[in-house]
Amino acid sequence: KAGVTQTPRYLIKTRGQQVTLSCSPISGHRSVSWYQQTPGQGLQFLFEYFSETQRNKGNFPGRFSGRQFSNSRSEMNVSTLELGDSALYLCASSFQGADTEAFFGQGTRLTVV
Amino acid sequence: TQLLKQSPQFLSIQEGENLTVYCNSSSVFSSLQWYRQEPGEGPVLLVTVVTGGEVKKLKRLTFQFGDARKDSSLHITAAQPGDTGLYLCAVDQTGANNLFFGTGTRLTVIP
């Protein structure tokens, strides 16, 4: 069974640009969450999608957005990139979210220059 | 705002030594999870503890949930280089796939 796949693995963008990251969950999983990991702030929850609806949202500015498609694949978008957005972005999928194990992808390493 | 404070922040030990890392909070949790993250990878779930005072063993790893369900510990016996990684405790905030992670302990086991 394939794991969670995130693309691309590495990305370099310039301040002010926007970026879209992709996450393909494990087959059958309907919940997809996104996290940001930085050395200073650690691992922080961005948002969770379930059946194409955003179910929970963390404390991040509106520049961070996401969506989920009918096949459960998810994308997250960051607009007007700032240097502080440089981070490892992780996606986690689970069967239904509540009380089920979350499986993480390898992440996308975003560097903003 | 809840906080999961892990200690120590960094730990470097020789192969074969024992170690304990801690995860502390002032909040009460219905359950708590431990993850290990290796370089270049996402976190992998090691265990979920649910009952106050619960002890779970996973080979050389022993996890304990505090009686009051506010804290937890992870003990590794006879550490091996393969144990190297970032150890994270986490709680599921809303019963959904919405994890709040601790500050992390970065463990290095030297051969």
Side-chain angles (χ1 to χ4, degrees):
Chain A
K1 181 163 149 176
V4 179
T5 303
Q6 292 189 244
T7 56
R9 288 291 311 277
Y10 303 92
L11 206 49
I12 300 176
K13 289 286 189 178
T14 304
R15 257 187 313 177
Q17 287 187 314
Q18 74 159 12
V19 67
T20 299
L21 312 181
S22 180
C23 172
S24 293
I26 291 171
S27 179
H29 284 192
R30 296 164 65 191
S31 169
V32 174
S33 290
W34 289 89
Y35 296 84
Q36 181 196 65
Q37 187 172 30
T38 60
Q41 298 300 316
L43 239 172
Q44 293 184 287
F45 171 78
L46 279 156
F47 30 66
E48 185 225 0
Y49 285 86
F50 182 83
S51 293
E52 302 179 64
T53 301
Q54 188 181 86
R55 193 160 62 173
N56 288 289
K57 189 177 189 307
N59 189 26
F60 278 82
R63 300 185 297 107
F64 292 82
S65 63
R67 59 178 175 169
Q68 187 179 34
F69 301 95
S70 58
N71 62 357
S72 292
R73 190 178 70 86
S74 178
E75 291 181 346
M76 69 162 281
N77 183 277
V78 188
S79 62
T80 319
L81 284 165
E82 301 177 359
L83 295 179
D85 297 332
S86 294
L88 179 67
Y89 289 89
L90 291 159
C91 161
S93 81
S94 67
F95 179 64
Q96 62 177 19
D99 301 321
T100 58
E101 182 177 350
F103 295 83
F104 283 82
Q106 291 181 296
T108 294
R109 172 76 61 187
L110 172 65
T111 302
V112 182
V113 298
Chain B
T1 302
Q2 61 188 1
L3 178 66
L4 285 174
K5 186 165 174 58
Q6 293 186 240
S7 59
Q9 187 177 358
F10 298 97
L11 188 56
S12 182
I13 62 170
Q14 295 289 331
E15 182 177 0
E17 292 184 348
N18 301 331
L19 67 112
T20 302
V21 300
Y22 301 91
C23 174
N24 294 291
S25 176
S26 57
S27 301
V28 176
F29 303 113
S30 58
S31 65
L32 185 142
Q33 301 173 10
W34 283 94
Y35 289 80
R36 178 171 65 215
Q37 184 179 18
E38 298 180 14
E41 303 290 332
V44 175
L45 179 66
L46 296 174
V47 78
T48 300
V49 286
V50 178
T51 306
E54 180 178 8
V55 176
K56 280 192 174 179
K57 292 193 175 185
L58 184 66
K59 297 183 181 178
R60 295 177 293 99
L61 279 60
T62 302
F63 304 85
Q64 184 161 10
F65 201 14
D67 291 341
R69 292 184 285 122
K70 292 183 178 181
D71 53 79
S72 182
S73 64
L74 157 59
H75 181 82
I76 301 179
T77 303
Q80 299 177 0
D83 296 327
T84 293
L86 177 66
Y87 288 82
L88 296 155
C89 61
V91 293
D92 206 335
Q93 297 190 94
T94 60
N97 184 9
N98 169 6
L99 295 167
F100 182 85
F101 283 89
T103 51
T105 293
R106 191 166 296 280
L107 171 66
T108 302
V109 182
I110 303 165

